[in-house]
């Protein structure tokens, strides 16, 4: 342990390395708040008393403001304090000796946390300095006890009747001021420690920055106390050689300025987190919808004045009403699409006057460009619009409690202000006005609908609605190969004309119109996202959706519905082969009670085994807020799908995942993972895709 170092020639990192003790844990605990209260309550009046003697401004019975409270059960660690006091007194006045003494003190206190070490050292100094200042103040008293104690404290060496010796005046002033400054620094250190106990650094990031260098601050506080002790000893002994303090004063003042700034930053962040916690507590059990909107929209920490359109008192208007809060960014194309989705909802809820819709754009900074976008979007909306939603706590609440992650969300609140659905946007996008009344319960009902596919298809043609009502078998088909489409249409039409037993067949070509094709796949994509946001276990509907997604770029594909209920889907080439060979399996319809769709699927699976199972893969667009699962099961063979920018299944026992991350620079990183991949680790490209490639004869 090198002890001849000069601290002013050392960097903070070097000091930190020198004073750190590996493997030591802060096990010693006691009431440091009470000890620091005692130290403060002694030093404040003591330093004032010393100033009074020097400047001749003594005011008897002077009341000291800001006295700290001391726990009645507190017992000061006198032995430790006496030991530290002994460690500091009568030392050689040099920088090297001060460093050596400081290192020794830190070693003695190694089982205490950093802020406690500083308080204990200052308390040890206070034992003597408090007495010294009191006797300095009262030395000319007629009381023999006081006078005798003053002699033992070395007071006569500093005094010439009737006042203090001018030779020592400036030196006492310097010590007194430096002790006050050191007290302020340790006060800051204790304050930061109190903040760390009360608040999580994750919630108050400034705390981590402020406490990162706290050990160095404690070092300088302790070494400053050490040199002040040495200076006092030199004064009392009236020695010419004395301890230089000016550099220590500069250092302590610089640390104090820095700590005050860091505490200010911490307090600002704490004010924000306190407002956020207060909001959480309030919204946990809201009184009514008016109070909820009031604390969200008109919070005291709003950075700009909120404006409400269209010229109506929103708090008055929402009384006793349910409210749909529509949060979004300012993407004009994206929001315009949502406006078209919400317009029918608005017309429905306006007719019964039960709901109000409020658009609340979340914007980091309102620039001129943002203002223009806002005005454009506002002109398209008939409902309430909020501008300058800027409450720090409210935005944090929306992001963390209502999970807003840059993609639009619609939070449904009842008239009491209680959340009935944290994000009804996907439900509304899929079901439109059928999503009414936009509750979790209604969402659950819709998710379990067996007629989901047919319900989505009726918008494409009035004929589809008629066929569904007639419970017909409806072939929906499409693909990239128009030759296949023609062949399939021919074979399926032939079956319809032949009046197959148990089947009344109608056909709908999804590819016949580019607009229908785009809308069809958008609906399937939206429904997939709708399921992905809420369903953790893969149910039969989710597996059917995955199949449909895998057909998006296929040569051909077929979906068969019985009425509105999806009963079968398959690869186009295999389905075409099955229809061409209808004579080979039509006996299934004649000799058994099997339905048309059951027989079709049975022979489809047999043909699939003969042909070999094709790869199955599908893309899921990367959307903020979408939880990408650790893995997916293949809808064909139920094996875990391989992951590589896509969910991928080879219909065989895959023990690992292939993760291919495509980056903008064109490079590809491949990682073989033997364990499950966390959802966070998958967000590395623009899409995540699942695929299934093998030819598993025994499973499928």
């Amino acid at each position: 342990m090198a002890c001849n170092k000069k601290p002013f020639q050392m960097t903070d990192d070097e000091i930190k390395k020198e004073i750190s003790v590996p493997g030591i844990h802060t096990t010693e605990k006691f009431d440091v708040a009470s000890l620091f209260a005692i130290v403060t309550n002694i030093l404040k009046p003591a330093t004032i008393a010393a100033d009074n003697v020097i400047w001749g401004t003594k005011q008897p019975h002077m009341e000291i403001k800001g006295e700290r409270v001391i726990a009645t059960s507190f017992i000061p660690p006198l032995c430790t304090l006496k030991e530290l006091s002994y460690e500091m007194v009568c030392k050689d006045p040099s920088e090297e000796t001060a460093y050596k003494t400081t290192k020794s003190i830190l070693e003695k206190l190694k089982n205490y946390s950093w802020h406690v070490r500083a308080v204990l050292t200052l308390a040890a100094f206070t034992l003597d300095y408090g007495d010294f200042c009191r006797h300095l103040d009262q030395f000319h008293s007629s009381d023999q006890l006081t006078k005798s104690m003053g002699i033992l404290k070395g007071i006569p060496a500093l005094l010439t009747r009737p006042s203090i010796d001018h030779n020592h005046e400036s030196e006492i002033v310097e010590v007194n001021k430096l002790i006050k400054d050191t007290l302020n620094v340790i006060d800051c250190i204790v304050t930061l420690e109190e903040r760390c106990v009360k608040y999580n650094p994750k919630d108050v990031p400034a705390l981590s920055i402020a406490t990162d260098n706290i050990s160095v601050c404690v070092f300088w506080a302790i070494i400053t106390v050490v040199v002040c002790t040495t200076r006092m000893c030199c004064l009392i002994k009236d020695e010419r050689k004395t301890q230089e303090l000016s550099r220590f004063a500069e250092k302590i003042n610089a640390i104090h300025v820095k700590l005050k700034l860091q505490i200010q930053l911490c307090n600002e962040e704490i004010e924000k987190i306190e407002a956020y916690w207060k909001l959480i507590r309030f919204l946990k059990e809201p009184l009514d919808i008016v109070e909820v909107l009031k604390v969200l929209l008109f919070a005291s920490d709003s950075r700009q004045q909120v404006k409400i359109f269209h010229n109506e008192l929103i708090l008055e208007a929402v009384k006793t009403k349910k409210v749909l809060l529509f949060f979004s960014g300012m993407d004009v194309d994206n929001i315009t699409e949502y406006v078209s989705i919400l317009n029918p909802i608005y017309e429905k809820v306006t007719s019964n006057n039960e709901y109000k819709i409020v658009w609340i754009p979340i914007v980091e900074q309102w620039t001129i460009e943002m203002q223009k976008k806002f005005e454009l979007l506002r002109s398209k909306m008939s409902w309430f619009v909020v501008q300058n939603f800027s409450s720090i706590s409210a935005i944090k609440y929306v992001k963390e409690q209502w999970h807003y992650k840059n993609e639009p969300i619609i939070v449904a609140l009842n008239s009491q202000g209680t959340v009935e659905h944290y994000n009804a946007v996907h439900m509304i996008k899929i079901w439109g006005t059928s999503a009414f009344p936009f509750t979790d319960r209604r969402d659950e009902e819709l998710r379990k609908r067996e007629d989901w596919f047919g319900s989505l298809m009726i918008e494409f043609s009035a004929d589809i609605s008629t066929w569904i009502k007639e419970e017909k078998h409806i072939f929906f088909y499409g693909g990239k190969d128009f030759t296949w489409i023609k062949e399939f249409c021919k074979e399926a039409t032939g079956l319809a004309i032949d009046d197959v037993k148990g089947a009344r067949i109608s056909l709908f070509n999804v590819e016949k119109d580019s607009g229908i094709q785009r809308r069809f796949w958008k609906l399937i994509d939206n429904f997939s996202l709708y399921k992905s946001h809420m369903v953790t276990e893969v149910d039969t509907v989710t597996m059917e959706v995955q199949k449909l997604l895998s057909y998006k770029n296929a040569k051909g594909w077929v979906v068969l519905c019985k009425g509105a209920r999806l009963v079968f889907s398959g690869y186009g080439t295999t389905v075409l082969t099955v229809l061409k060979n209808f004579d080979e399996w039509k006996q299934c319809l004649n000799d058994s009670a099997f339905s048309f769709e059951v027989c079709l699927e049975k022979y489809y699976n047999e043909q699939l085994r003969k042909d070999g199972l094709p790869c199955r893969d599908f893309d899921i667009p990367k959307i903020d807020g979408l939880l990408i699962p650790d893995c997916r099961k293949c809808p064909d063979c139920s094996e875990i799908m391989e992951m590589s920018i896509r969910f991928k299944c080879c219909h065989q026992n895959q023990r690992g995942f292939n993760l291919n991350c495509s980056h903008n620079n064109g490079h590809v990183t491949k990682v073989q993972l033997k364990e499950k991949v966390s959802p966070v680790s998958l967000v590395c490209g623009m899409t995540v895709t699942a695929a299934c490639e093998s030819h598993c004869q025994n499973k499928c």
Side-chain angles (χ1 to χ4, degrees), residues 288-291 293-294 313-323 353-354 356 384 415-416:
D288 58 43
I289 188 63
V290 173
E291 293 300 319
L293 289 190
K294 188 184 295 183
L313 296 174
I314 187 171
L315 297 181
E316 191 68 30
V318 299
K319 280 184 179 178
T320 72
K321 300 292 190 295
K322 296 181 179 181
V323 174
N353 199 30
E354 185 180 356
K356 296 293 181 183
F384 283 113
S415 56
Q416 286 76 46

Side-chain angles (χ1 to χ4, degrees), residues 568 574 578 600-610 700:
F568 165 81
T574 306
V578 171
L600 173 65
E601 185 169 14
K602 177 183 176 183
Y603 282 90
Y604 169 83
N605 288 335
E606 289 181 2
Q607 186 64 44
L608 205 57
R609 289 189 182 95
K610 295 176 184 177
C700 301

Side-chain angles (χ1 to χ4, degrees), residues 556-567:
W557 57 268
V558 177
V559 171
L560 177 63
C561 284
K562 180 68 165 64
R565 187 168 54 90
L566 189 153
V567 293

Side-chain angles (χ1 to χ4, degrees), residues 15 69 124 282-283 436 506 560 569 584 681 684:
I15 291 174
V69 178
F282 180 85
L283 294 180
F436 183 87
S506 294
L560 177 63
S569 67
E584 296 179 10
S681 66
C684 55

Side-chain angles (χ1 to χ4, degrees), residues 569-589:
S569 67
Y571 298 104
T573 52
T574 306
V575 174
L576 181 58
T577 301
V578 171
L579 294 189
K580 285 182 176 180
N581 297 333
F582 176 67
D583 289 340
E584 296 179 10
W585 56 274
K586 68 180 179 181
Q587 194 62 34
C588 172
L589 296 171

Side-chain angles (χ1 to χ4, degrees), residues 31-42:
D31 186 0
V32 68
S34 289
L35 179 60
F36 189 59
I38 291 172
V39 170
T40 304
N41 292 344
I42 291 172

Side-chain angles (χ1 to χ4, degrees), residues 28-32 35 84 109 111-122 189-190 193 218 222:
E28 296 290 338
K29 294 182 179 179
F30 69 99
D31 186 0
V32 68
L35 179 60
L84 293 175
L109 302 178
N111 289 327
Y112 294 93
S113 58
W114 286 108
H115 75 296
V116 178
R117 298 183 210 187
V119 173
L120 283 169
T121 305
L122 186 61
I189 292 170
V190 171
E193 177 61 27
V218 169
I222 290 177

